[in-house]
Amino acid sequence: AASATASASLAALSSPSLRAETNKNGKLRIVQFGYYGIGPMQRRGLEGHEAHFEFAGFADVDKNATNQAAVKFPNSYQYADYREIFDKHESDFDAVIVATPDFHHAPMMAVDFGRKTRLWSKAVGSPAGRAANDQRSHGHEARFGHSDG
């Protein structure tokens, strides 16, 4: 699962047109929903590629998690509610990594419907995420990373 997530993320990192489309510094700007659980494994999968990406923000209901994210990633923003990231920072990030239980994936993706197209990782590989992706593809262009994990 970690290698699939890392592969999807690295594929996005290697796409200059994807990066150039949405940001000015050439780095893919990633937000992560869920800091603990599978989150550390997903972040480790990106280690060594920091020249190509940066974590723009984190959302987690656990205040300890967002506090830890603020220390480890001081230039990132932190929220308890992932919807605030969409509302306040919609044009500030390119990709979303979901590190929450599977049943949260589809609602998180649904918030993004009708907004700027994003690369999603992990969520697309879950049953709920695949269903949301199928729904989204009817009328919305989408580019998704894929994880079977």
Side-chain angles (χ1 to χ4, degrees):
S3 63
T5 298
S7 296
S9 299
L10 292 177
L13 296 175
S14 65
S15 172
S17 62
L18 177 62
R19 289 191 315 272
E21 215 174 276
T22 56
N23 61 54
K24 296 177 178 77
N25 68 5
K27 289 185 175 186
L28 187 70
R29 292 184 48 80
I30 300 171
V31 296
Q32 186 173 37
F33 298 159
Y35 189 79
Y36 293 132
I38 197 170
M41 181 182 68
Q42 292 173 324
R43 290 189 301 277
R44 278 192 306 273
L46 294 172
E47 286 177 357
H49 301 282
E50 290 84 358
H52 303 288
F53 82 94
E54 60 194 1
F55 281 102
F58 295 89
D60 198 298
V61 296
D62 183 343
K63 186 67 173 166
N64 292 323
T66 54
N67 288 343
Q68 186 176 354
V71 170
K72 186 162 178 145
F73 302 97
N75 294 324
S76 67
Y77 38 83
Q78 295 78 35
Y79 292 94
D81 187 335
Y82 68 91
R83 294 170 292 194
E84 288 187 78
I85 289 180
F86 285 112
D87 292 342
K88 296 176 181 176
H89 301 281
E90 181 174 5
S91 63
D92 187 45
F93 63 96
D94 308 306
V96 177
I97 296 177
V98 177
T100 62
D102 284 351
F103 58 86
H104 287 288
H105 296 180
M108 289 176 170
M109 292 175 73
V111 171
D112 193 35
F113 286 4
R115 296 178 186 242
K116 185 172 112 179
T117 302
R118 299 232 166 33
L119 169 77
W120 283 79
S121 178
K122 177 64 179 138
V124 178
S126 70
R130 281 193 298 274
N133 185 30
D134 291 344
Q135 184 66 33
R136 179 185 179 134
S137 65
H138 297 289
H140 295 285
E141 177 183 328
R143 288 183 300 265
F144 290 105
H146 185 272
S147 167
D148 290 323

